[in-house]
Amino acid sequence: MRTNLNPLTVVRNLGILAHVDAGKTTVTERILYATGTTHRRGEVHDGTTVTDFDPQERDRGITIFAAAVSCAWAGHRINLIDTPGHVDFADEVERSLRVLDGAVAVFDAVAGVEPQSESVWRQADRHGVPRIAFVNKLDRAGADLDTAVASIRERLHPAPLVVQLPIGAEDGFRGVVDLVRMRALVWGDGSDTAVEGPVPEELREEAQRRRRLLEEAVAELHTGALDEFCMRATVSAQTLVGALRDLTRSGDGVVVLCGSAYRNRGMEPLLDAVVSYLPSPLDVPAVQGTFDGTEQRRAADPVAPFAALAFKVNATPTGRLTYLRVYSGTIEKGDAVWDAGTRRTERIGRILRVQADRHAHMDRAVAGDIVAVVGLKSARAGSTLCAPGAPIVLEPPVVAEPVVSVAVEPRRSTDADKLASALARLAEEDPSLVVRTDPETGQTVLSGMGELHLEVAAEKLRRAHGVEVNVGRPRVSYRETVGRGVSGLVFRHVKQDGGAGQFAHVVLDVDSLEAGFEFRSAVVGGRVPQEYVRAVEAGCRDALAEGPLGGHPVTGLRVTLTDGATHVKDSSETAFRTAGKLGLREALRACAMVLLEPVVEVTVTVPEDAVGGVLGDLAARRGRVSGSTSRGGSAVVTATVPLAELFGYATRLRSRTQGRGTFTARPTGYAPAPAVAPVR
C-alpha cells in the first residue's frame, strides 16, 4: 500500500543566529557545500561567500543584510536565512524571525554566550521560534564545550541537552561522538566527509557517562522518556530522538551540537539535527490574523485561501523584489493578490527561488515556501498579501525605534531630487531607517539604529544610487520625562471668532511613570462626556511629540483628567482635543522635567595589559563598569555607557590596544542625562 505523505513535512524554514564573528556565515557556507548546492567553500576573509554578496559586506567582513538560500538534505528542502550578528542590524533579524519556523544558534566555543547572542536569543523567545545550538570553533585555542554550555545554561536559561562529545581538543579537534546513537564521526585532514566508527576506547567511559546524563536530563523533561527510563533504566535511541524533537519544538530544551565550520567538521550531524528536531510548516500552529475585527487562522495547506507576509523588500533600479513567506494557499505567476494594508490588488509578475543574489524561476509557490516575487508595487516589509476573496491581516514584524540621527545633504545641489528618491528607496528596503526634514533647520535627517547602520546607509547612497553626500555628525535621540508632577492644573480653551465657537475646560493631574504613557479619567457626574474624554486623551498624546526642555518626545508620565466643564453649544471633540494638547503642554512646563539619553551595554575584549587604559577611557565617557572577567588571556569588561559618548570609540579603542581590542554594544534603554548634555 502506497502512503501519500504531505510534501510540507520535508520542508524546514530556519535562520542562523549569533553574535558577530561567531561564524554564522561560515556555517551557512559549509551547509551549502555539504548539501552540494555549491562546489567550493566560500570564505568570509576572502570575500567569496554566497550570502555575504553585497560589496559592503565583503569589504567589512560582516553580515549586514539577511540573505535567503535554499538547499536539499536527506530528502528535505531547507530554506535558510543567514542573519546579521551586529546589534545595529537587529531589525533584519527581527523581520527574519517573524517568518521562520526554527533556528540554529551559533556560539563561539571560546567566548560562549556573547551580548548579541543573548539579544537574538531573546528575539527568538518572543517569536516562539524553536532552536538548536551549535558550538562552533572547537579548533581554536582555549575552546571548551562544557564552558560554552555552562554559559548557555546561565545566561539563556534553557535546559541544554548536549548530544555530542568532542574527539580531540583545540588544534587536535577531529571529530565527535554521537551520544544518541553511540558512534564516532571523524573527519580526516583534507576530508569533507565523516568516517563513522565505534567510540574510541579512551573516550568510551566518558561517552557512557555523558549519555547517562543526557538520558536523565531528557527524562526529567519528557514523560515518554521518563516512563521508559523508569521501566528499563535506560532510554533507547529512537525514544531519545523523539523526545529531543518534542522538547526542541516546545522550547523546554535545546539540543547542543559542536564542531568547527571553518574546518568543515560537524556539518553533516548539524544538518541531520535540523531535519530531525526542528519543525516543518505543519508542526507550527496555524498563523493568526484579523480582518474587520474578526480573528482568523490559516493552516499550512496548499489548497486553503492564499495568505503570505512580506518580510523584506529590495528596491533595485530595474524593479522591486519582495520576499514572501507563504503561510497558506498557492500562487502562480500572473495571479492577482490583495494587499491588505493598502487595500489594493496587485499582480504577481514572476516567482523566484532565492539563492542570495541569484534566483531561479518558479511556476508557483505553495504554503511553507519562502520565495521572492517581482511585480508588486505597493507592498512593504510587513505587508500581508492574500487572496482577494479571503482577506486577512497578519501581524507585521515590530520595527525598532531609531536612536541615532545624522544630517545628509547632496554635495551637488543638482542632486537634491536624486537624493530624495534614493533615501525613499533606502527607507522602503529598511523600515528601521527613518527619513525626515528638521522643521527648524530644513535639513534632511536620516535616523537609524547605530553609527555603523548610518555609515552603511550613507555608503549605499554612494555605491548603489550614485549620490555623493555630506554627512553631519551623528546625534542621539533624547527623551524627556516627568521628575516631579503637578496636580489640579486648570486649562480653559475658549475661542470665538464668528459662528460656532470652541469651549473646553479641563483639570489635569500629571504624575511620573516608570515608562510609557498612561491616561485615565476620574471625572464624576458626567461633567465631561465620554466622547470628550477620548478627545482629551488624543490631545494629550499629540502633546507628547515635543517636550518643554528641548522639543524631544515625552515619555514616562500618567495624566489624569480630574474635572472639566462643557458649553451647550460651543463644546466639541475638536475643542477638547485642543484643550488636552495645550493643557498638557502647560502642565509639563510646570513639572520638574528630566532629560533622558539612550544608554548601551558595552562589552570590551582587550589584552590584559590594556585594561587600565580602557577602564580610564570608559570612565571619561561617563561609563559605569558592571563587571570584568578574564577569558583565554584576555580581559572582558562590561559597562553601561551613554550612546552619545560612543561615537568614534572603535578608532580610539584600536589605537589604545594596537588594534587588538574589540567591543560590542546593545541598547538597554534610557537614563537621566547630566544638565550639560545637549538638547538639540
Side-chain angles (χ1 to χ4, degrees):
M1 180 176 174
R2 188 174 179 178
T3 304
N4 293 320
L5 295 176
N6 190 318
L8 294 185
T9 60
V10 296
V11 174
R12 299 291 184 272
N13 294 317
L14 68 136
I16 307 294
L17 312 174
H19 184 88
V20 64
D21 286 338
K24 297 179 310 304
T25 300
T26 304
V27 168
T28 304
E29 289 297 318
R30 298 304 185 262
I31 287 176
L32 295 177
Y33 182 72
T35 57
T37 307
T38 58
H39 300 290
R40 64 186 297 266
R41 294 182 287 183
E43 304 293 354
V44 173
H45 55 270
D46 291 336
T48 57
T49 58
V50 173
T51 52
D52 283 356
F53 58 85
D54 186 272
Q56 288 203 71
E57 293 179 311
R58 293 185 170 177
D59 290 348
R60 298 174 186 270
I62 61 171
T63 301
I64 296 173
F65 310 105
V69 291
S70 185
C71 56
W73 179 258
H76 290 68
R77 179 160 52 80
I78 299 174
N79 297 319
L80 188 151
I81 297 180
D82 179 23
T83 65
H86 198 284
V87 65
D88 282 19
F89 309 104
D91 195 64
E92 287 272 333
V93 182
E94 184 74 19
R95 284 183 277 128
S96 299
L97 284 171
R98 175 63 182 83
V99 300
L100 294 173
D101 301 327
V104 175
V106 180
F107 300 95
D108 188 316
V110 177
V113 176
E114 297 173 272
Q116 190 60 12
S117 305
E118 189 171 351
S119 295
V120 296
W121 189 275
R122 303 299 175 216
Q123 285 179 282
D125 280 342
R126 290 198 303 272
H127 289 279
V129 175
R131 280 140 284 169
I132 59 177
F134 181 72
V135 178
N136 191 26
K137 302 187 179 183
L138 274 180
D139 58 321
R140 285 185 59 194
D144 187 271
L145 176 62
D146 292 338
T147 303
V149 170
S151 70
I152 292 173
R153 181 184 293 107
E154 293 165 7
R155 298 194 61 175
L156 305 181
H157 309 297
L161 305 170
V162 184
V163 298
Q164 291 178 342
L165 169 66
I167 300 176
E170 298 181 352
D171 192 52
F173 170 72
R174 64 185 190 278
V176 296
V177 174
D178 177 357
L179 298 176
V180 176
R181 296 174 177 83
M182 292 303 288
R183 57 176 181 164
L185 299 171
V186 178
W187 290 266
D189 291 336
S191 174
D192 292 326
T193 57
V195 176
E196 182 178 338
V199 178
E201 183 65 33
E202 66 273 15
L203 290 176
R204 191 163 298 167
E205 184 177 342
E206 178 66 11
Q208 290 173 347
R209 185 184 73 83
R210 291 184 179 242
R211 166 61 186 254
R212 184 69 175 184
L213 291 174
L214 175 63
E215 292 176 351
E216 291 173 353
V218 170
E220 285 182 6
L221 300 169
H222 191 275
T223 304
L226 177 62
D227 292 342
E228 183 172 320
F229 188 78
C230 292
M231 290 176 59
R232 301 174 51 191
T234 187
V235 181
S236 68
Q238 184 177 358
T239 301
L240 206 52
V241 169
L244 291 171
R245 180 189 302 116
D246 293 341
L247 294 173
T248 299
R249 296 176 184 182
S250 67
D252 294 324
V254 57
V255 172
V256 180
L257 301 99
C258 60
S260 168
Y262 180 69
R263 294 196 178 185
N264 206 29
R265 295 174 182 176
M267 292 302 102
E268 299 100 318
L270 176 62
L271 284 164
D272 289 338
V274 165
V275 168
S276 298
Y277 306 132
L278 291 180
S280 75
L282 291 176
D283 297 320
V284 297
V287 68
Q288 296 185 26
T290 59
F291 189 74
D292 287 343
T294 303
E295 186 174 309
Q296 301 186 27
R297 290 174 177 266
R298 294 284 171 83
D301 185 351
V303 300
F306 172 70
L309 186 71
F311 66 96
K312 184 177 175 68
V313 173
N314 274 354
T316 67
T318 57
R320 300 173 76 255
L321 204 61
T322 306
Y323 291 77
L324 305 179
R325 162 65 193 266
V326 182
Y327 283 101
S328 67
T330 302
I331 51 167
E332 297 184 357
K333 183 172 65 175
D335 281 356
V337 296
W338 198 62
D339 187 331
T342 61
R343 293 179 177 259
R344 59 179 289 179
T345 301
E346 301 253 40
R347 192 165 296 279
I348 303 293
R350 287 178 291 159
I351 303 173
L352 307 173
R353 174 79 68 201
V354 182
Q355 290 294 111
D357 59 338
R358 294 167 294 175
H359 313 102
H361 290 269
M362 302 172 61
D363 293 328
R364 63 177 191 161
V366 301
D369 272 334
I370 293 179
V371 297
V373 298
V374 179
L376 304 182
K377 298 178 181 178
S378 63
R380 300 289 185 268
S383 295
T384 299
L385 302 174
C386 54
I392 186 174
V393 179
L394 304 177
E395 181 183 355
V398 176
V399 179
E401 185 178 356
V403 295
V404 180
S405 301
V406 292
V408 292
E409 61 181 22
R411 290 186 182 174
R412 296 185 297 271
S413 58
T414 54
D415 284 346
D417 291 342
K418 192 175 181 182
L419 174 61
S421 175
L423 286 172
R425 193 173 292 171
L426 277 184
E428 181 181 338
E429 292 181 339
D430 186 352
S432 62
L433 285 172
V434 176
V435 181
R436 63 180 177 85
T437 301
D438 190 304
E440 293 185 6
T441 64
Q443 289 180 306
T444 299
V445 177
L446 180 64
S447 303
M449 300 304 300
E451 197 173 3
L452 179 60
H453 190 203
L454 295 178
E455 281 182 19
V456 168
E459 187 64 23
K460 193 167 185 178
L461 288 173
R462 299 185 185 100
R463 293 191 182 192
H465 303 285
V467 183
E468 292 294 329
V469 294
N470 294 320
V471 179
R473 187 181 184 278
R475 297 182 302 173
V476 301
S477 298
Y478 291 92
R479 295 288 183 269
E480 298 177 26
T481 190
V482 174
R484 185 182 66 253
V486 296
S487 299
L489 186 132
V490 179
F491 186 85
R492 289 167 60 89
H493 174 63
V494 181
K495 187 176 181 181
Q496 192 74 47
D497 53 3
Q502 293 187 28
F503 178 88
H505 176 94
V506 296
V507 181
L508 302 175
D509 289 353
V510 179
D511 303 307
S512 62
L513 197 65
E514 185 173 340
F517 170 73
E518 182 182 309
F519 180 89
R520 61 186 183 185
S521 172
V523 178
V524 296
R527 291 177 59 81
V528 180
Q530 190 60 38
E531 62 269 23
Y532 293 166
V533 171
R534 288 193 293 268
V536 173
E537 180 180 358
C540 289
R541 292 186 182 276
D542 294 340
L544 299 179
E546 296 183 1
L549 292 181
H552 308 292
V554 182
T555 186
L557 73 161
R558 179 192 296 111
V559 177
T560 305
L561 177 65
T562 61
D563 200 0
T566 62
H567 187 278
V568 66
K569 290 184 179 180
D570 293 343
S571 289
S572 64
E573 291 186 23
T574 300
F576 272 89
R577 182 165 186 161
T578 303
K581 179 179 180 179
L582 300 181
L584 182 54
R585 282 186 176 177
E586 184 172 312
L588 292 176
R589 286 193 290 270
C591 293
M593 300 296 291
V594 177
L595 185 68
L596 301 176
E597 61 181 349
V599 294
V600 296
E601 182 186 78
V602 177
T603 302
V604 187
T605 304
V606 295
E608 292 186 345
D609 59 3
V611 171
V614 168
L615 291 175
D617 191 36
L618 288 173
R621 295 172 185 271
R622 297 189 283 127
R624 297 194 306 274
V625 175
S626 56
S628 179
T629 60
S630 295
R631 187 169 62 199
S634 298
V636 180
V637 179
T638 305
T640 301
V641 185
L643 179 61
E645 300 289 348
L646 278 186
F647 296 136
Y649 182 61
T651 302
R652 179 71 170 172
L653 180 64
R654 283 195 294 267
S655 67
R656 279 188 172 275
T657 61
Q658 291 79 46
R660 296 177 295 165
T662 61
F663 84 99
T664 59
R666 63 185 181 112
T668 57
Y670 284 81
V676 296
V679 296
R680 291 300 294 174

